[in-house]
Amino acid sequence: FGVSVAFVSTCIKEVCEAISNKMASAISFPSGDNLLKVIQGYDEDWGFPMCGGAIDGTHIPILAPNESHTDYINRKGYHSIIMQAVVDHNHLFRDVVIGWPGSVHDARVLSNSKIFEKGNNDTLFPQNIEEEISGQRVNPVIIGDAAYPLLPWLMKPYPENNTTPRIKKLFNYQLSRARMTVEDAFGKWKGRFIRFSKRVDMAVSSVVNIVKTSCILHNICEIQNNEFLPLWQIDNEALEDLAVFADDDLAARDATDIREALAEYFMSD
């Protein structure tokens, strides 16, 4: 069309910056009646009570940065940045953290996020929203995989082996089933913006802004119920790592009690 690559690149960056600034509210953590709808959705659709969202991360391949490029090499050997996301039962992004180097463990990304700070300060969810489950008072929680710490507001699976009791295996199954919402959200997002499954040849700062913009557009597509063909779906490359948090690392007693109460609930359901 008679325009240079540099000009197109500039246009993309400016449009993404405008969308990111003007439509930032498209990504908002659930609160008030909206939070109640999310909790109800996870309970009715996925059978997991008092769930306010699911958390996970994904790698976005990038061109090797000029500075500290080795920090961006992930465990699979290529350069990437990490996007951590909390999603709801409708596959909407509710919180995103974008830009950590690919070598960083997902638990470290979490521990440096506002979600972590608010969760530990009891300000992530209203404390007056609660339900008694198996005799235990349970406030809203986020669900994650084994790489995350067990906290009163963050549930993770039990360690599992051949001798794991059925009650713990059932809890793990129910958590894994509900956590598919975040895996599916990543798959649909990458299906809509397939470029993020391949190397993005831009500076890290530019990639971060473009990724955030794509998350906003993904939410708009989901809210408007835009058509998404199954063949577009892409499996998420989760931030699996050999290092995981053991149950007693950073786990308060009440976090263990909440998980046990939920496990009893699933057994009795």
Side-chain angles (χ1 to χ4, degrees):
F1 297 100
V3 294
S4 67
V5 173
F7 178 75
V8 173
S9 178
T10 299
C11 290
I12 291 173
K13 291 177 183 178
E14 290 181 355
V15 170
C16 287
E17 185 175 352
I19 293 174
S20 182
N21 291 335
K22 298 293 185 180
M23 306 182 72
S25 60
I27 301 175
S28 60
F29 203 77
S31 61
D33 290 343
N34 191 251
L35 173 60
L36 296 179
K37 290 179 180 178
V38 172
I39 293 173
Q40 181 181 5
Y42 269 106
D43 195 5
E44 294 179 353
D45 298 344
W46 300 96
F48 205 104
M50 295 306 289
C51 181
I55 188 171
D56 202 358
T58 189
H59 287 283
I60 301 166
I62 61 168
L63 189 68
N66 292 327
E67 297 182 2
S68 305
H69 73 92
T70 56
D71 293 340
Y72 290 84
I73 300 176
N74 60 37
R75 68 181 185 86
K76 291 196 173 182
Y78 64 86
H79 294 85
S80 67
I81 59 171
I82 294 168
M83 179 171 80
Q84 171 189 282
V86 176
V87 310
D88 67 16
H89 64 297
N90 286 325
H91 306 125
L92 296 180
F93 292 116
R94 293 306 198 137
D95 182 84
V96 292
V97 177
I98 308 162
W100 279 82
S103 65
V104 176
H105 191 277
D106 39 356
R108 183 184 171 197
V109 178
L110 171 67
S111 65
N112 284 276
S113 68
K114 291 182 180 179
I115 290 285
F116 188 82
E117 180 181 353
K118 290 181 177 180
N120 288 341
N121 290 335
D122 295 331
T123 57
L124 185 61
F125 296 114
Q127 293 302 295
N128 62 343
I129 298 179
E130 62 181 43
E131 180 179 338
E132 184 171 314
I133 299 176
S134 304
Q136 174 72 33
R137 191 190 80 171
V138 179
N139 296 108
V141 298
I142 293 174
I143 55 176
D145 63 19
Y148 292 103
L150 178 68
L151 299 166
W153 52 273
L154 176 55
M155 292 291 102
K156 59 178 281 187
Y158 288 100
E160 190 170 327
N161 53 44
N162 293 334
T163 62
T164 301
R166 181 172 177 269
I167 185 172
K168 293 184 177 181
K169 288 184 177 180
L170 181 57
F171 173 86
N172 289 356
Y173 167 77
Q174 294 288 357
L175 184 144
S176 176
R177 181 172 176 269
R179 207 178 62 80
M180 284 299 296
T181 51
V182 67
E183 297 290 342
D184 290 344
F186 280 140
K188 296 181 79 171
W189 166 70
K190 286 188 176 182
R192 287 191 169 104
F193 303 96
I194 196 169
R195 183 67 206 181
F196 297 126
S197 297
K198 303 175 182 179
R199 193 181 72 179
V200 183
D201 295 344
M202 303 179 75
V204 171
S205 58
S206 297
V207 177
V208 169
N209 202 32
I210 291 175
V211 170
K212 181 181 178 183
T213 301
S214 70
C215 292
I216 292 172
L217 296 176
H218 164 87
N219 279 6
I220 293 173
C221 289
E222 289 294 301
I223 292 170
Q224 294 181 345
N225 199 27
N226 291 168
E227 184 179 18
F228 184 88
L229 300 180
L231 59 88
W232 295 350
Q233 186 85 14
I234 295 178
D235 291 336
N236 176 49
E237 182 179 343
L239 302 186
E240 298 176 356
D241 199 292
L242 295 177
V244 298
F245 271 89
D247 281 353
D248 57 351
D249 289 342
L250 303 179
R253 182 67 240 172
D254 51 352
T256 303
D257 290 343
I258 291 169
R259 185 167 65 174
E260 291 176 353
L262 288 167
E264 292 177 10
Y265 167 82
F266 294 132
M267 279 292 290
S268 62
D269 190 20

